Amino acid sequence: MLKLQRQLRNVKSNNVCRLCDIFLRLPVRSAGAKLDIKMFASIESQATDIFSAAVKAVLPRKMVENTLKIHGNVLSVEGTDYNLKHNIYVVGFGKAVIGMARTVDDLLREHIVHGVVSVPCGIQATLAALGRKDMLLKQGSNIKICEGAENNLPDEAAHRTAMTILRLAQGLTEKDILLVLISGGGSALLPAPIPPITLQEKQHVTKLLGSAGATIQELNTVRRQISLLKGGELAKAAYPAKVVTLILSDIIGDTIDLIASGPTVINYPQSLTGLADRDQLPAVTYRSRRPSKIQFVVRCVGYVLEQMARMVQQTLLVQLRLSGR
């Protein structure tokens, strides 16, 4: 597992020091006194330079190029080597993955068999309008860009893309390499509820938990348990292929299981005691359809949650009967 950390390598420290020094030496002025326009113009210019340097340092292209090293037919990622032989598959989801996908395509195009990337609605048109065609895939790319999750909410378009990603992962062999690109916003772009739970029901669950004050950890715990792809399920689906994940973090502390709900991170069920203690939430027991997952208790609101609990338990019982357990 690879974690891409934000590193502001290009920020000019002398500019930062100068800017701080200018602010510290600013005289205290009485009301109505004239301000030194030239001084503030200089401050604005230096602040803009610092901001631009920081943004350039965390652009997807630079970070991906610093991580993926190609030596002939060998891909090196943080000290681990992978043999390249037209055996790369690419999937991605998040607000920044379109730029990551372009860089990956530039570096590995001759070895990429197929790819599917889920990105926000309208992002391609926006980048084109801003003149950032360097972040868009070139013609002839084997990576397909799919837009969805309008207004940052999971929708049918994102769900179709998620299921396409699942089918791609399930078809891989031990000779293949799955390159997974993840950034902030990936959770809404990868909705794949466990049947018979519907996308609408999963959306309703999320809204109810959020309105009841659930933390992001509690929300992601529920999301992972009712998802076909989150909580490490994407990595499981890709087995026995090798999985390399590039994560562009938008979370302080870089907690990778929270970014897009951790599709390639092992799911360790977390305690929901804090949520269960809230008096306004009736008790509902959920059990994963997978016998390997432990049972956990969530207190949630509403009829829909109770129905979902029954459906998940019924699915588990059917699976147990089919497996002869």
Side-chain angles (χ1 to χ4, degrees), residues 185-222:
S187 188
L189 288 160
L190 195 71
I194 296 173
I197 300 170
T198 66
L199 179 61
Q200 291 72 24
E201 289 169 335
K202 185 177 180 180
Q203 290 172 328
H204 191 53
V205 169
T206 303
K207 290 178 182 178
L208 290 173
L209 291 173
S211 64
T215 65
I216 185 62
Q217 290 85 357
E218 291 167 337
L219 280 170
N220 280 340
T221 298
V222 174

Short mmCIF file of all heavy atoms in Angstrom, two decimals, residues 185-222:
data_model
loop_
_atom_site.label_atom_id
_atom_site.label_comp_id
_atom_site.label_asym_id
_atom_site.label_seq_id
_atom_site.Cartn_x
_atom_site.Cartn_y
_atom_site.Cartn_z
N GLY A 185 -13.21 12.97 -1.97
CA GLY A 185 -14.44 12.92 -2.75
C GLY A 185 -14.69 11.57 -3.39
O GLY A 185 -15.70 11.38 -4.08
N GLY A 186 -13.80 10.62 -3.15
CA GLY A 186 -13.92 9.31 -3.79
C GLY A 186 -15.07 8.48 -3.29
O GLY A 186 -15.60 7.63 -4.01
N SER A 187 -15.51 8.71 -2.05
CA SER A 187 -16.58 7.90 -1.49
C SER A 187 -17.88 8.08 -2.27
O SER A 187 -18.57 7.11 -2.60
CB SER A 187 -16.80 8.25 -0.01
OG SER A 187 -17.71 7.37 0.59
N ALA A 188 -18.23 9.34 -2.57
CA ALA A 188 -19.46 9.61 -3.33
C ALA A 188 -19.36 9.10 -4.76
O ALA A 188 -20.38 8.82 -5.39
CB ALA A 188 -19.75 11.10 -3.33
N LEU A 189 -18.14 8.97 -5.27
CA LEU A 189 -17.94 8.54 -6.65
C LEU A 189 -17.80 7.03 -6.77
O LEU A 189 -17.58 6.52 -7.87
CB LEU A 189 -16.69 9.22 -7.22
CG LEU A 189 -16.86 10.70 -7.53
CD1 LEU A 189 -15.51 11.40 -7.60
CD2 LEU A 189 -17.64 10.91 -8.82
N LEU A 190 -17.93 6.30 -5.65
CA LEU A 190 -17.80 4.84 -5.69
C LEU A 190 -18.93 4.17 -4.88
O LEU A 190 -18.67 3.35 -4.01
CB LEU A 190 -16.43 4.43 -5.13
CG LEU A 190 -15.98 3.00 -5.42
CD1 LEU A 190 -15.61 2.83 -6.89
CD2 LEU A 190 -14.79 2.63 -4.54
N PRO A 191 -20.17 4.49 -5.18
CA PRO A 191 -21.28 3.89 -4.43
C PRO A 191 -21.62 2.50 -4.97
O PRO A 191 -21.92 2.34 -6.15
CB PRO A 191 -22.43 4.87 -4.65
CG PRO A 191 -22.16 5.46 -6.01
CD PRO A 191 -20.65 5.49 -6.16
N ALA A 192 -21.54 1.50 -4.12
CA ALA A 192 -21.86 0.13 -4.54
C ALA A 192 -22.46 -0.63 -3.36
O ALA A 192 -21.80 -1.48 -2.75
CB ALA A 192 -20.61 -0.57 -5.05
N PRO A 193 -23.71 -0.32 -3.00
CA PRO A 193 -24.32 -0.99 -1.85
C PRO A 193 -24.50 -2.49 -2.07
O PRO A 193 -24.74 -2.94 -3.20
CB PRO A 193 -25.67 -0.28 -1.70
CG PRO A 193 -25.95 0.30 -3.06
CD PRO A 193 -24.61 0.64 -3.63
N ILE A 194 -24.40 -3.26 -1.00
CA ILE A 194 -24.59 -4.70 -1.06
C ILE A 194 -26.06 -5.00 -1.34
O ILE A 194 -26.94 -4.54 -0.62
CB ILE A 194 -24.19 -5.36 0.28
CG1 ILE A 194 -22.70 -5.16 0.53
CG2 ILE A 194 -24.55 -6.84 0.28
CD1 ILE A 194 -22.25 -5.63 1.90
N PRO A 195 -26.38 -5.76 -2.40
CA PRO A 195 -27.77 -6.14 -2.65
C PRO A 195 -28.31 -6.96 -1.48
O PRO A 195 -27.55 -7.70 -0.84
CB PRO A 195 -27.66 -7.00 -3.92
CG PRO A 195 -26.37 -6.60 -4.56
CD PRO A 195 -25.46 -6.27 -3.42
N PRO A 196 -29.60 -6.83 -1.17
CA PRO A 196 -30.62 -6.09 -1.91
C PRO A 196 -30.76 -4.63 -1.50
O PRO A 196 -31.74 -3.99 -1.86
CB PRO A 196 -31.90 -6.86 -1.55
CG PRO A 196 -31.64 -7.32 -0.15
CD PRO A 196 -30.18 -7.64 -0.07
N ILE A 197 -29.79 -4.09 -0.76
CA ILE A 197 -29.84 -2.67 -0.40
C ILE A 197 -29.71 -1.84 -1.67
O ILE A 197 -28.84 -2.10 -2.52
CB ILE A 197 -28.70 -2.32 0.57
CG1 ILE A 197 -28.81 -3.14 1.85
CG2 ILE A 197 -28.71 -0.83 0.91
CD1 ILE A 197 -27.61 -3.05 2.75
N THR A 198 -30.55 -0.84 -1.81
CA THR A 198 -30.52 0.01 -3.00
C THR A 198 -29.68 1.26 -2.73
O THR A 198 -29.38 1.61 -1.58
CB THR A 198 -31.93 0.46 -3.40
OG1 THR A 198 -32.46 1.32 -2.38
CG2 THR A 198 -32.85 -0.74 -3.58
N LEU A 199 -29.31 1.94 -3.82
CA LEU A 199 -28.55 3.17 -3.69
C LEU A 199 -29.35 4.21 -2.91
O LEU A 199 -28.81 4.93 -2.06
CB LEU A 199 -28.19 3.71 -5.07
CG LEU A 199 -27.41 5.03 -5.11
CD1 LEU A 199 -26.07 4.88 -4.40
CD2 LEU A 199 -27.20 5.48 -6.55
N GLN A 200 -30.65 4.28 -3.17
CA GLN A 200 -31.49 5.25 -2.48
C GLN A 200 -31.54 4.98 -0.98
O GLN A 200 -31.51 5.90 -0.17
CB GLN A 200 -32.91 5.25 -3.07
CG GLN A 200 -33.01 5.79 -4.50
CD GLN A 200 -32.42 4.83 -5.53
OE1 GLN A 200 -32.33 3.62 -5.29
NE2 GLN A 200 -32.02 5.36 -6.68
N GLU A 201 -31.60 3.72 -0.61
CA GLU A 201 -31.63 3.36 0.81
C GLU A 201 -30.31 3.70 1.48
O GLU A 201 -30.29 4.21 2.62
CB GLU A 201 -31.95 1.88 0.96
CG GLU A 201 -33.39 1.53 0.61
CD GLU A 201 -33.62 0.04 0.52
OE1 GLU A 201 -32.66 -0.70 0.25
OE2 GLU A 201 -34.78 -0.38 0.70
N LYS A 202 -29.22 3.45 0.78
CA LYS A 202 -27.92 3.79 1.35
C LYS A 202 -27.78 5.30 1.53
O LYS A 202 -27.25 5.77 2.54
CB LYS A 202 -26.80 3.26 0.45
CG LYS A 202 -25.42 3.46 1.03
CD LYS A 202 -24.34 2.85 0.14
CE LYS A 202 -22.96 3.06 0.75
NZ LYS A 202 -21.90 2.48 -0.10
N GLN A 203 -28.26 6.06 0.55
CA GLN A 203 -28.24 7.51 0.66
C GLN A 203 -29.05 7.97 1.87
O GLN A 203 -28.64 8.86 2.61
CB GLN A 203 -28.80 8.15 -0.61
CG GLN A 203 -27.92 8.00 -1.83
CD GLN A 203 -28.61 8.47 -3.10
OE1 GLN A 203 -29.83 8.38 -3.24
NE2 GLN A 203 -27.83 8.98 -4.04
N HIS A 204 -30.20 7.33 2.05
CA HIS A 204 -31.08 7.71 3.16
C HIS A 204 -30.42 7.40 4.51
O HIS A 204 -30.51 8.18 5.46
CB HIS A 204 -32.41 6.98 3.04
CG HIS A 204 -33.47 7.49 3.97
ND1 HIS A 204 -33.81 8.82 4.03
CD2 HIS A 204 -34.24 6.85 4.88
CE1 HIS A 204 -34.77 8.99 4.94
NE2 HIS A 204 -35.04 7.80 5.48
N VAL A 205 -29.75 6.27 4.58
CA VAL A 205 -29.04 5.90 5.81
C VAL A 205 -27.99 6.96 6.15
O VAL A 205 -27.89 7.41 7.29
CB VAL A 205 -28.36 4.53 5.64
CG1 VAL A 205 -27.39 4.27 6.79
CG2 VAL A 205 -29.40 3.43 5.59
N THR A 206 -27.21 7.36 5.14
CA THR A 206 -26.16 8.34 5.36
C THR A 206 -26.74 9.66 5.86
O THR A 206 -26.20 10.28 6.78
CB THR A 206 -25.37 8.57 4.06
OG1 THR A 206 -24.82 7.32 3.62
CG2 THR A 206 -24.23 9.55 4.28
N LYS A 207 -27.84 10.09 5.26
CA LYS A 207 -28.46 11.35 5.67
C LYS A 207 -28.99 11.27 7.10
O LYS A 207 -28.85 12.20 7.89
CB LYS A 207 -29.60 11.72 4.70
CG LYS A 207 -29.11 12.13 3.32
CD LYS A 207 -30.28 12.44 2.40
CE LYS A 207 -29.79 12.81 1.01
NZ LYS A 207 -30.93 13.07 0.08
N LEU A 208 -29.61 10.14 7.44
CA LEU A 208 -30.15 9.98 8.79
C LEU A 208 -29.04 9.98 9.84
O LEU A 208 -29.16 10.63 10.88
CB LEU A 208 -30.95 8.68 8.88
CG LEU A 208 -32.28 8.64 8.11
CD1 LEU A 208 -32.87 7.24 8.15
CD2 LEU A 208 -33.26 9.65 8.70
N LEU A 209 -27.97 9.28 9.56
CA LEU A 209 -26.86 9.24 10.50
C LEU A 209 -26.23 10.61 10.64
O LEU A 209 -25.87 11.04 11.74
CB LEU A 209 -25.82 8.22 10.04
CG LEU A 209 -26.23 6.74 10.13
CD1 LEU A 209 -25.17 5.87 9.47
CD2 LEU A 209 -26.44 6.33 11.56
N GLY A 210 -26.06 11.30 9.51
CA GLY A 210 -25.48 12.63 9.55
C GLY A 210 -26.32 13.61 10.34
O GLY A 210 -25.81 14.39 11.15
N SER A 211 -27.63 13.55 10.13
CA SER A 211 -28.52 14.47 10.86
C SER A 211 -28.58 14.15 12.35
O SER A 211 -28.92 15.00 13.16
CB SER A 211 -29.94 14.40 10.27
OG SER A 211 -30.49 13.10 10.46
N ALA A 212 -28.20 12.92 12.72
CA ALA A 212 -28.19 12.53 14.13
C ALA A 212 -26.85 12.84 14.78
O ALA A 212 -26.65 12.53 15.96
CB ALA A 212 -28.49 11.04 14.26
N GLY A 213 -25.92 13.42 14.02
CA GLY A 213 -24.65 13.82 14.61
C GLY A 213 -23.56 12.78 14.53
O GLY A 213 -22.58 12.86 15.28
N ALA A 214 -23.69 11.82 13.64
CA ALA A 214 -22.65 10.80 13.51
C ALA A 214 -21.34 11.42 13.03
O ALA A 214 -21.34 12.32 12.20
CB ALA A 214 -23.09 9.72 12.52
N THR A 215 -20.23 10.94 13.58
CA THR A 215 -18.92 11.42 13.15
C THR A 215 -18.55 10.78 11.82
O THR A 215 -19.19 9.81 11.38
CB THR A 215 -17.84 11.05 14.19
OG1 THR A 215 -17.72 9.62 14.24
CG2 THR A 215 -18.22 11.58 15.57
N ILE A 216 -17.49 11.29 11.18
CA ILE A 216 -17.05 10.72 9.91
C ILE A 216 -16.59 9.27 10.11
O ILE A 216 -16.79 8.42 9.26
CB ILE A 216 -15.92 11.57 9.28
CG1 ILE A 216 -15.55 11.03 7.89
CG2 ILE A 216 -14.70 11.62 10.17
CD1 ILE A 216 -16.66 11.06 6.88
N GLN A 217 -16.01 8.98 11.27
CA GLN A 217 -15.59 7.60 11.55
C GLN A 217 -16.80 6.68 11.63
O GLN A 217 -16.80 5.56 11.11
CB GLN A 217 -14.81 7.54 12.87
CG GLN A 217 -13.43 8.19 12.81
CD GLN A 217 -13.47 9.68 13.06
OE1 GLN A 217 -14.55 10.26 13.23
NE2 GLN A 217 -12.32 10.31 13.08
N GLU A 218 -17.87 7.14 12.30
CA GLU A 218 -19.08 6.33 12.42
C GLU A 218 -19.76 6.16 11.07
O GLU A 218 -20.23 5.06 10.72
CB GLU A 218 -20.02 6.98 13.43
CG GLU A 218 -19.49 6.92 14.85
CD GLU A 218 -20.24 7.82 15.81
OE1 GLU A 218 -20.87 8.80 15.36
OE2 GLU A 218 -20.19 7.55 17.02
N LEU A 219 -19.82 7.25 10.29
CA LEU A 219 -20.42 7.17 8.96
C LEU A 219 -19.67 6.17 8.08
O LEU A 219 -20.28 5.34 7.41
CB LEU A 219 -20.41 8.55 8.30
CG LEU A 219 -21.50 9.54 8.71
CD1 LEU A 219 -21.20 10.92 8.16
CD2 LEU A 219 -22.86 9.06 8.24
N ASN A 220 -18.34 6.26 8.10
CA ASN A 220 -17.56 5.36 7.26
C ASN A 220 -17.64 3.92 7.71
O ASN A 220 -17.54 3.00 6.90
CB ASN A 220 -16.10 5.83 7.22
CG ASN A 220 -15.89 6.98 6.25
OD1 ASN A 220 -16.69 7.20 5.36
ND2 ASN A 220 -14.83 7.74 6.44
N THR A 221 -17.81 3.70 9.02
CA THR A 221 -17.97 2.33 9.51
C THR A 221 -19.23 1.70 8.92
O THR A 221 -19.22 0.55 8.47
CB THR A 221 -18.05 2.31 11.05
OG1 THR A 221 -16.81 2.80 11.57
CG2 THR A 221 -18.26 0.89 11.56
N VAL A 222 -20.32 2.46 8.91
CA VAL A 222 -21.57 1.96 8.33
C VAL A 222 -21.43 1.79 6.82
O VAL A 222 -21.83 0.77 6.26
CB VAL A 222 -22.74 2.91 8.66
CG1 VAL A 222 -24.01 2.46 7.94
CG2 VAL A 222 -22.97 2.96 10.16
#
